[in-house]
Amino acid sequence: MNDRPSTPLLDQVVWPADLRKLQPDQLRQLADELRQEVISAVGVTGGHLGSGLGVVELTTAIHYVFDTPNDKLVWDVGHQCYPHKILTGRRDRIRTLRQGGGLSGFTKRAESEFDPFGAAHSSTSISAALGFAVANKMQGRPGKGIAVIGDGSMSAGMAYEAMNNAREAGNRLIVILNDNDMSIAPPVGGLSAYLARLVSSREFLGLRDLAKRLARRLPRPLHNAARKTDEFARGMAMGGTLFEELGFYYVGPIDGHNLDQLIPVLENVRDAAEGPCLVHVVTQKGKGYAPAEAAADKYHGVQKFDVITGTQDKAPPGPPSYTGVFAKALIAEAERDPAVCAITAAMPSGTGLDKFGAAFPDRTFDVGIAEQHAVTFAAGLAAQGMRPFCAIYSTFLQRAYDQVVHDVAIQNLPVRFAIDRAGLVGADGSTHAGSFDVTYLSSLPNFVVMAAADEAELVHMVHTCAVHDDGPIAVRYPRGNGVGIALPETPERLEIGKGRIVREGRQVAILSLGTRLEEALKAAEVLEAKGLSTTVADLRFAKPLDEAMIRRLLTTHEVAVTIEEGSIGGLGAHVLTMASDQGLIDNGLKLRTMRLPDIFQDQDKPEKQYADARLDAEAIVDTVLTALRHNSAGIGTEARA
Ligand SMILES: Cc1ncc(C[n+]2csc(CCOP(=O)(O)OP(=O)(O)O)c2C)c(N)n1
Ligand SMILES: CC(=O)[C@@H](O)[C@H](O)COP(=O)(O)O
Ligand SMILES: [Mg+2]
């Protein structure tokens, strides 16, 4: 059992106003106590640890120097916000993190005025902070927009779109670049190399610091001369920083764990007459907790753990994860076909491409947090004859939707989409739920959209993707483990648009897509016990539909129910459209669709999410029985011939 740490100073701090009453020399102890509280809390709840540990001092300094919540503090991604939540009135609930009804694991507007903007998908903070800054300026109100963005999140184009536009805000916008030289995995690309150079050029800070001090001391008219010296120093040392070319006043790099550096620099930047400013702080992900510091991933995401040893709770042994089955299947495809390659957007371990990359390093691309680029890069690869698998979580693929439409679908390019975390994801909640991919892909002409019902089906579908060259194709599969079915020795090439009957019946037809098949089969047993002979079909394809099979089922059964782990506008909508277009509902068929409710899925345990979403066996039985009881006007309910 993890005991709560002794935190005498932190016990005096509920709000930032309490923090600001402390003496500067008390802040070091406060930060140490804050770090212990974060470790203790996440040991109980699990969640994101490494990032928060890396910003304990930065969070303390920001709330000490700036007038939050009037100064709007926007955390990028928000996974590092646990220290922020503790210092902004939520310490009493910090051990409810990521649980139903508990604190969100990310920043959330509805949760606190100190969370002016929600996050979880990366690289949005500068745009949002700029919005707050410009609004304050337009309204003649005081208050800055402050974005804290990580080096990994700086690899997404949206950050540059915002910086390109930031001049509007003048000194109202402050960007704090939290550079811990880590994304979830080590960072990639030219930006991370650039930042490494900036950090390593210590003399740069010396020169620049001198020039800046000079600038501040000179009377106004000479101010520009000094600034020129400053720019000269910059140019001489580093050829101008990327950020300054974008119109930012670059300050740094500074030690993000040294409050004696952080506080005066943030005070200077707060009071600077010019801007926008970018403060480059160097931190360590996992700072101050040995197991996190020693871990390759710096304990980015953790299960509950023993604080003393750092040992995380292990999931009970069970079937392989869908992610692991995908990686293994893709390796087999790549062994057969040298054109097979794979792209991840900064999620190598989450997508299993770390394993694929170990086998095929030259055919694996981690493009950073850049889903839009990932998709169009894959389109280029496909156009030139490669067989690219773009492995992106359902929720993160949303960021590249126009690239999917414009660069892939319209050009009918054979990009393969491996869509992990499709469906409900549990504790990450609404920002990460993979609710919409069937809807947003199956409405696109030329697209093939498959959903694996189990891990054996996933192997067949990966193979089907690999050999499908007739245009874009996607396979979706959920977070977590399979059902324990044996994996096929040899994968089959599935016939596009063909489903399979898994159980034959006569009165009720359940048309299942994806992993809801398990619940559909359980429901069929219950219905059979109630005297209702039930067919269960695994449609396999949301697009193209197996129209022949669906027509047969809808014209020979009394009740038909579709079920999918996706939002409105998905499989059920397409079956309804087909049935209506073909007059299959003109003569009394009872057709119902089951899908995720039209809400954003809140965080909770997955099994509770399924029950709440009414996507389990009990809900299927309920839906069938209710349909049977429903007397459509004048139409008899005799069993159909
Ligand atoms: C658009 C998007 N893609 C992928 C992710 C998954 N993700 C969450 S945190 C993270 C790494 C962020 O790195 P950085 O900004 O450096 O923050 P750090 O964890 O180092 O504090 C990634 C890739 C995401 N949240 N949003
Ligand atoms: C913060 C973030 O976006 C990632 O860390 C995400 O939470 C990972 O999700 P999985 O745990 O499903 O890989
Ligand atoms: Mg980082």
Side-chain angles (χ1 to χ4, degrees):
M1 177 58 189
N2 293 326
D3 300 333
R4 293 192 185 211
S6 150
T7 55
L9 262 188
L10 185 62
D11 294 346
Q12 300 171 35
V13 175
V14 178
W15 304 102
D18 306 318
L19 175 68
R20 295 173 199 137
K21 290 177 194 147
L22 297 181
Q23 293 308 310
D25 61 3
Q26 291 179 296
L27 295 179
R28 178 68 265 163
Q29 180 189 334
L30 186 281
D32 292 342
E33 292 180 12
L34 178 57
R35 178 170 276 109
Q36 294 314 310
E37 177 67 351
V38 169
I39 293 167
S40 165
V42 183
V44 170
T45 63
H48 292 98
L49 181 62
S51 312
L53 290 179
V55 296
V56 164
E57 287 79 11
L58 181 60
T59 306
T60 304
I62 290 171
H63 283 300
Y64 187 77
V65 168
F66 291 99
D67 178 25
T68 52
N70 299 319
D71 289 331
K72 300 300 177 187
L73 173 57
V74 183
W75 292 95
D76 204 280
V77 181
H79 62 316
Q80 76 291 70
C81 72
Y82 303 177
H84 160 79
K85 292 201 175 190
I86 290 169
L87 293 181
T88 54
R90 289 168 277 183
R91 183 186 180 188
D92 58 334
R93 288 179 289 150
I94 200 67
R95 287 169 176 78
T96 67
L97 269 174
R98 296 162 50 90
Q99 296 149 50
L103 288 181
S104 166
F106 306 101
T107 48
K108 196 168 181 176
R109 279 175 57 84
E111 205 171 279
S112 165
E113 62 175 331
F114 288 90
D115 293 4
F117 209 74
H121 286 200
S122 79
S123 320
T124 59
S125 60
I126 303 175
S127 300
L130 181 58
F132 283 107
V134 169
N136 279 339
K137 195 173 170 186
M138 289 163 74
Q139 294 161 11
R141 291 200 294 187
K144 299 196 184 277
I146 305 161
V148 182
I149 184 167
D151 56 306
S153 299
M154 282 300 288
S155 59
M158 187 173 172
Y160 299 88
E161 292 169 16
M163 289 197 290
N164 186 49
N165 187 227
R167 203 182 288 274
E168 317 265 334
N171 68 350
R172 298 284 196 134
L173 175 67
I174 295 167
V175 174
I176 299 174
L177 168 54
N178 172 34
D179 182 0
N180 55 19
D181 196 23
M182 276 294 283
S183 181
I184 292 183
V188 295
L191 178 82
S192 107
Y194 174 78
L195 292 177
R197 280 202 309 281
L198 271 183
V199 171
S200 62
S201 64
R202 277 286 169 216
E203 69 287 351
F204 171 69
L205 184 58
L207 263 179
R208 177 67 184 295
D209 203 30
L210 173 71
K212 221 159 21 68
R213 287 202 185 110
L214 192 68
R216 262 204 307 284
R217 259 198 279 286
L218 290 173
R220 192 127 195 100
L222 292 178
H223 208 150
N224 286 337
R227 186 167 170 95
K228 287 280 164 283
T229 317
D230 182 2
E231 279 160 12
F232 172 68
R234 240 186 1 267
M236 188 170 70
M238 291 291 296
T241 69
L242 166 70
F243 307 108
E244 290 197 330
E245 300 305 318
L246 284 168
F248 277 76
Y249 196 84
Y250 171 86
V251 180
I254 60 172
D255 178 352
H257 299 298
N258 180 339
L259 287 162
D260 298 335
Q261 271 200 25
L262 276 173
I263 303 276
V265 166
L266 292 180
E267 283 169 341
N268 281 352
V269 165
R270 176 194 64 197
D271 302 338
E274 297 173 47
C277 284
L278 184 137
V279 182
H280 181 185
V281 298
V282 180
T283 63
Q284 185 185 357
K285 196 164 183 176
K287 174 80 175 177
Y289 186 53
E293 290 184 359
D297 70 350
K298 307 300 175 195
Y299 274 25
H300 172 83
V302 292
Q303 303 302 320
K304 300 176 183 179
F305 61 90
D306 178 306
V307 167
I308 307 296
T309 65
T311 310
Q312 298 180 47
D313 287 6
K314 281 266 174 292
S321 69
Y322 282 99
T323 304
V325 169
F326 161 68
K328 192 159 168 263
L330 191 62
I331 287 170
E333 295 304 325
E335 282 163 350
R336 270 193 283 274
D337 180 349
V340 168
C341 53
I343 300 123
T344 175
M347 303 291 284
S349 56
T351 58
L353 288 194
D354 53 347
K355 297 181 180 60
F356 182 83
F360 297 99
D362 299 340
R363 291 198 251 160
T364 309
F365 303 94
D366 179 352
V367 297
I369 308 180
E371 288 81 5
Q372 296 171 333
H373 161 62
V375 170
T376 305
F377 173 49
L381 287 163
Q384 192 60 5
M386 299 305 291
R387 291 193 166 117
F389 279 75
C390 214
I392 300 183
Y393 289 12
S394 169
T395 189
F396 299 140
L397 185 58
Q398 290 161 187
R399 178 153 292 181
Y401 191 54
D402 187 53
Q403 286 73 20
V404 169
V405 178
H406 178 267
D407 300 324
V408 176
I410 291 177
Q411 300 189 105
N412 201 31
L413 288 170
V415 173
R416 286 82 170 160
F417 292 91
I419 303 178
D420 200 335
R421 279 38 172 207
L424 300 174
V425 295
D428 269 345
S430 55
T431 52
H432 284 61
S435 309
F436 308 109
D437 55 272
V438 173
T439 297
Y440 67 68
L441 292 180
S442 58
S443 50
L444 298 177
N446 307 332
F447 240 95
V448 175
V449 182
M450 297 184 285
D454 54 47
E455 55 272 42
E457 283 290 295
L458 180 55
V459 174
H460 298 315
M461 291 181 176
V462 170
H463 178 59
T464 303
C465 284
V467 297
H468 180 79
D469 286 324
D470 302 338
I473 186 167
V475 53
R476 74 181 317 238
Y477 44 97
R479 185 175 199 272
N481 297 346
V483 299
I485 193 168
L487 297 182
E489 280 298 311
T490 313
E492 282 168 42
R493 176 175 190 167
L494 301 178
E495 188 182 346
I496 298 297
K498 287 288 167 235
R500 58 181 179 137
I501 298 295
V502 181
R503 174 201 172 98
E504 284 286 1
R506 287 188 319 284
Q507 288 168 284
V508 177
I510 303 175
L511 291 74
S512 168
L513 181 76
T515 51
R516 292 292 85 201
L517 179 65
E518 200 180 11
E519 292 298 307
L521 290 167
K522 285 180 197 166
E525 293 296 324
V526 174
L527 290 165
E528 200 77 43
K530 293 175 179 293
L532 288 166
S533 167
T534 300
T535 297
V536 176
D538 171 16
L539 292 184
R540 283 176 162 162
F541 294 80
K543 185 163 199 168
L545 288 176
D546 184 343
E547 294 203 1
M549 174 200 273
I550 293 169
R551 192 168 29 258
R552 183 170 62 75
L553 293 174
L554 267 51
T555 54
T556 58
H557 290 70
E558 193 176 338
V559 180
V561 175
T562 68
I563 183 164
E564 64 198 289
E565 191 173 340
S567 65
I568 53 176
L571 169 87
H574 296 297
V575 171
L576 272 176
T577 302
M578 175 208 147
S580 141
D581 291 351
Q582 298 182 19
L584 304 180
I585 46 181
D586 298 359
N587 49 12
L589 163 72
K590 294 179 186 293
L591 175 56
R592 300 289 184 273
T593 66
M594 295 179 73
R595 62 215 173 265
L596 288 173
D598 186 17
I599 56 171
F600 289 106
Q601 298 298 325
D602 213 343
Q603 63 197 28
D604 213 324
K605 293 185 175 56
E607 56 280 4
K608 189 159 180 319
Q609 285 184 323
Y610 288 118
D612 290 350
R614 298 205 27 83
L615 279 181
D616 55 9
E618 185 186 330
I620 299 170
V621 172
D622 226 10
T623 302
V624 169
L625 298 180
T626 306
L628 283 169
R629 280 196 297 274
H630 178 77
N631 269 328
S632 28
I635 307 283
T637 54
E638 63 288 352
R640 307 182 59 67

